[in-house]
Amino acid sequence: MEYRIAGILLSEERLAERIREIGQQIGRDYAGKELVVIGILKGAVVFLSDLIRAVPPSVDISLDFMAVSSYGDSTKTSGIVRIVKDLDGSIKDKEVLIVEDIVDTGLTLSYLVKMMQERQPRSVRVCALLDKEERRKVHVDVDYRGFAIPDEFVVGYGLDYGGRWRHLPAIHTVAQQ
Ligand code: IMP
Ligand code: MG
């Protein structure tokens, strides 16, 4: 099936405003602390790069990345999570914040949170830009959430369809050709 990008669901301005708020909130929660921010490749990179610049310098941030794949490139998540790239560093005794583009069924994040907890960090929290609540199959605590969105496939601002459209500055829905 062929798709094209359709209307804008979240504009650049709305994204920027919300991300500034989340950055301030993270600043209040982690002031004076070291925080390892873990970006989930590739979808979270655009969000993460704006988010970390919205966090005040009172938080001592370092970055690490993990790449996961949920088998296949379709608009449906299979639920099988494969680690394509693991973290470079240890998170033992560290404060950890996982940054993800979107929570859909919750399978990816619940798997990642469990996996991180086994490494004995001091704390693990989750920040997700988008949340499709209706689609949830397993519970995930999302500590910082950008927007709740309806059950529609979205692209842009890091999110892709088959690898495309990550570079769009706003979040768009897709429509059939
Ligand atoms: P979950 O495991 O079902 O929560 O799926 C999370 C992953 O599915 C995200 O990291 C995205 O890569 C992908 N995903 C889910 N919904 C969308 C969407 O609307 N657009 C783009 N990717 C999506
Ligand atoms: Mg993806």
Side-chain angles (χ1 to χ4, degrees):
M1 217 181 302
E2 274 301 300
Y3 286 90
R4 60 179 174 78
I5 55 168
I8 289 185
L9 182 69
L10 295 165
S11 67
E12 286 184 70
E13 292 73 21
R14 281 193 73 194
L15 291 166
E17 191 190 340
R18 183 71 188 113
I19 289 163
R20 261 197 304 277
E21 290 169 0
I22 300 173
Q24 291 298 320
Q25 201 184 334
I26 291 171
R28 287 191 293 275
D29 294 350
Y30 293 98
K33 292 184 178 162
E34 287 178 26
L35 179 64
V36 182
V37 172
I38 298 179
I40 308 304
L41 298 172
K42 301 168 184 157
V45 292
V46 179
F47 172 44
L48 178 138
S49 72
D50 283 340
L51 179 68
I52 55 173
R53 286 177 291 172
V55 177
S58 54
V59 186
D60 185 357
I61 286 186
S62 61
L63 294 182
D64 208 337
F65 293 93
M66 185 170 265
V68 301
S69 154
S70 52
Y71 289 107
D73 273 334
S74 75
T75 54
K76 296 275 181 289
T77 306
S78 64
I80 305 161
V81 179
R82 182 167 58 101
I83 302 298
V84 176
K85 182 218 168 291
D86 205 337
L87 300 177
D88 290 337
S90 166
I91 55 166
K92 192 165 189 317
D93 300 325
K94 304 270 177 72
E95 318 269 9
V96 169
L97 180 65
I98 300 174
V99 176
E100 176 61 308
D101 52 1
I102 185 166
V103 200
D104 184 27
T105 61
L107 289 162
T108 307
L109 267 176
S110 69
Y111 178 88
L112 287 176
V113 169
K114 266 190 216 103
M115 186 178 160
M116 292 304 117
Q117 270 160 352
E118 281 164 16
R119 298 180 187 189
Q120 302 175 306
R122 185 167 301 157
S123 69
V124 182
R125 282 186 184 168
V126 168
C127 175
L129 178 64
L130 306 175
D131 184 356
K132 286 189 201 171
E133 287 170 315
E134 295 164 50
R135 296 255 311 155
R136 200 73 91 257
K137 285 187 184 155
V138 292
H139 174 81
V140 187
D141 285 316
V142 181
D143 303 279
Y144 305 96
R145 178 173 81 167
F147 301 90
I149 64 164
D151 180 13
E152 279 187 78
F153 201 81
V154 292
V155 297
Y157 201 72
L159 291 111
D160 72 305
Y161 173 68
R164 297 173 69 195
W165 297 318
R166 292 193 198 275
H167 60 102
L168 304 178
I171 304 268
H172 296 253
T173 53
V174 295
Q176 279 175 31
Q177 207 59 290

